[in-house]
Every structure is written in structure tokens, then in C-alpha cells.
């Protein structure tokens, strides 16, 4: 069964610190992997999309990595800001449709 | 910047009633989607729509659900006889192209509460 597992479930960090969120998937066949940011009560907003051949992709302070062999991805957030507080969702694409992880709830505190 | 819009933002209805959730996708997009997210759970795919017909649907999308593109701009999700377990956030999304390499843009969601 196609599944996406994320860890940790929640995370609290101090403003200015870095953090890394993890994603493991068992989706086959694999097409691409996406990271979304979802603010409370809002729709997901795309941060990165990576295909099978891409190992890393950056979007400002967000850097995603992908290891297609081990079926793992990470999202690294550098120099966190209060506005980074949100859920970060790993989404894997098979042929279709998208398979969502449950997300990591990140809280950045001053 | 173009965005997907959804109305209403919050809908409260009684069990057994029909509801229609509305979405206006980005204007030049051709592929449309509905997802739902039960509180505290992950986003789940409901249905995809292209060229005035359903492309794919999940097990959740049973006979109680239907989708329509009644005009050139709106995309609707109808639930015929709501159940308590239909309470969730419903997200509409659209994309310019078919294929999983292409970005889907999500709307802000409609919170449906069935009492």
C-alpha cells in the first residue's frame, strides 16, 4: 500500500535555529516528491518538487533532499523565523493521485 | 498572483442535507481536484476532473459525491446527503497540465461541519 510517513510529529524550536524534518515513503512507482507548507486553516502551499533524478532542491531557506534508493527525503529549514510555524507535509506522487503524509507540526518560538 | 478561491469558508449543515462547495480555479488551468482533510488527519484525494469529466476518483468518492463545472469558471463539489463523518476541510486544487510533475495550486479550503 502506498504510504508516506513523517517524523517528528511535532517540533518546537527557537527562532533563528535550524531544523530538519524527515519523510519516508513506500510509494511505487515513484514520480516525484513534494514538500508543502500548510498554515492552520489554509490550503497547502508548495515549497519544492523533486523528481527521481534530483538529490537536492532549495527554495530560499528551505532545502529538500531525496534519496530514491532508501525512499527517504528531508526538509531542512535554515535560520527559522516565527512565520515558519506551520505544518510541513511530504507528498509523493505515483502515477496518480498524490499521496500525502500526515505532516510535521513546527512551532518556532521567540 | 492568480490563486484558487473557495466559498464558503465555513459551512454548517445538518445531517442528511445537501451541500455544494464552490471553487474558482486559476483561469488558464485545465485540471481540477478535490481533497479533504479530517481534523488532525492527512489530506486525502477525492477526485480529479478534466475536460468536463472525472479522470480519477478515490474510494471515498462514493455515490453521495458529485462534481460539476457548471460554467467556464466554477468547479463544484456536491454532497447529496451529508453524514457526520463528512465533517472536514475540503480543498480544491487546479493545475495547468496533467501529469504528476506539474504543480497543483490549492485553495484556502472550506470547513464543513455536519451536525
Amino acid at each position: 500500500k502506498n504510504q508516506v510517513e513523517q517524523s517528528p510529529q511535532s517540533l518546537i524550536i527557537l527562532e533563528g535555529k535550524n531544523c530538519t524534518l524527515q519523510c519516508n515513503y513506500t510509494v511505487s512507482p515513484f514520480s516525484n516528491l513534494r514538500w508543502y507548507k500548510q498554515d492552520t486553516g489554509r490550503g497547502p502551499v508548495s515549497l519544492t518538487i523533486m523528481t527521481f533524478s534530483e538529490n537536492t532542491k532549495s527554495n530560499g531557506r528551505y532545502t529538500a533532499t531525496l534519496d530514491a534508493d532508501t525512499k527517504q527525503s528531508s526538509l531542512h529549514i535554515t535560520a527559522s523565523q516565527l512565520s515558519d510555524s506551520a505544518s510541513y507535509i511530504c507528498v509523493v506522487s505515483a502515477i496518480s493521485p498524490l499521496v500525502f503524509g500526515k505532516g510535521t507540526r513546527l512551532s518556532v518560538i521567540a | 498572483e492568480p490563486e484558487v478561491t473557495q466559498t464558503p469558508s465555513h459551512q454548517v449543515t445538518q445531517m442528511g442535507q445537501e451541500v455544494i462547495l464552490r471553487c474558482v480555479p486559476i483561469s488558464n488551468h485545465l485540471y481540477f481536484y478535490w481533497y479533504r482533510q479530517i481534523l488532525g488527519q492527512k489530506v486525502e484525494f477525492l477526485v480529479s476532473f478534466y475536460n468536463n469529466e472525472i479522470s480519477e476518483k478515490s474510494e471515498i468518492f462514493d455515490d453521495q459525491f458529485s462534481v460539476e463545472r457548471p460554467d467556464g469558471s466554477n468547479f463544484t463539489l456536491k454532497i447529496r446527503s451529508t453524514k457526520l463523518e463528512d465533517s472536514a476541510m475540503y480543498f480544491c486544487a487546479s493545475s495547468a497540465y496533467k501529469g504528476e510533475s506539474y504543480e497543483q495550486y490549492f485553495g484556502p479550503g472550506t470547513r464543513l461541519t455536519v451536525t
Side-chain angles (χ1 to χ4, degrees):
Chain A
K1 183 180 178 181
N2 289 335
Q3 286 191 325
V4 177
E5 301 292 336
Q6 292 188 243
S7 62
Q9 188 173 7
S10 63
L11 184 62
I12 301 173
I13 62 172
L14 291 174
E15 185 180 14
K17 297 297 186 182
N18 304 336
C19 67
T20 300
L21 314 179
Q22 302 291 342
C23 173
N24 298 317
Y25 61 93
T26 57
V27 177
S28 181
F30 175 85
S31 177
N32 59 62
L33 186 145
R34 312 164 186 219
W35 283 93
Y36 283 88
K37 178 185 179 185
Q38 185 180 22
D39 292 312
T40 302
R42 306 291 296 175
V45 175
S46 178
L47 296 174
T48 63
I49 299 179
M50 288 185 293
T51 61
F52 184 90
S53 60
E54 294 176 292
N55 299 120
T56 186
K57 184 167 271 191
S58 292
N59 177 4
R61 293 180 298 102
Y62 302 102
T63 299
T65 65
L66 173 64
D67 185 335
D69 291 331
T70 61
K71 298 187 177 181
Q72 295 179 327
S73 176
S74 66
L75 180 69
H76 186 75
I77 304 174
T78 303
S80 60
Q81 301 174 358
L82 297 177
S83 59
D84 292 333
S85 296
S87 285
Y88 290 84
I89 305 174
C90 177
V91 183
V92 181
S93 171
I95 298 298
S96 65
L98 301 181
V99 182
F100 287 74
K102 202 170 176 179
T104 291
R105 178 74 206 169
L106 175 65
S107 298
V108 181
I109 59 175
Chain B
E1 186 176 332
E3 58 182 18
V4 176
T5 60
Q6 291 185 242
T7 55
S9 57
H10 190 190
Q11 173 88 47
V12 181
T13 189
Q14 288 191 324
M15 194 168 51
Q17 295 297 304
E18 174 183 288
V19 294
I20 297 176
L21 310 183
R22 302 180 193 280
C23 168
V24 178
I26 294 173
S27 63
N28 63 341
H29 284 188
L30 300 175
Y31 299 88
F32 314 114
Y33 311 85
W34 282 102
Y35 295 87
R36 80 171 186 190
Q37 185 177 30
I38 295 171
L39 185 63
Q41 298 188 24
K42 57 187 170 184
V43 176
E44 300 171 291
F45 168 78
L46 292 179
V47 65
S48 59
F49 190 87
Y50 168 70
N51 200 26
N52 283 319
E53 61 182 26
I54 291 173
S55 302
E56 189 166 3
K57 60 183 181 179
S58 71
E59 295 174 349
I60 303 167
F61 194 87
D62 61 22
D63 292 342
Q64 293 297 315
F65 292 88
S66 62
V67 289
E68 192 178 33
R69 189 154 162 83
D71 53 44
S73 59
N74 289 285
F75 179 50
T76 63
L77 174 69
K78 180 192 290 185
I79 309 175
R80 262 180 272 282
S81 177
T82 50
K83 303 187 282 284
L84 293 176
E85 54 265 36
D86 293 328
S87 295
M89 281 288 283
Y90 287 82
F91 295 106
C92 172
S94 70
S95 64
Y97 305 98
K98 181 173 173 60
E100 302 315 311
S101 298
Y102 298 104
E103 189 57 73
Q104 289 185 25
Y105 294 85
F106 286 78
T110 292
R111 177 168 296 285
L112 176 65
T113 302
V114 182
T115 61

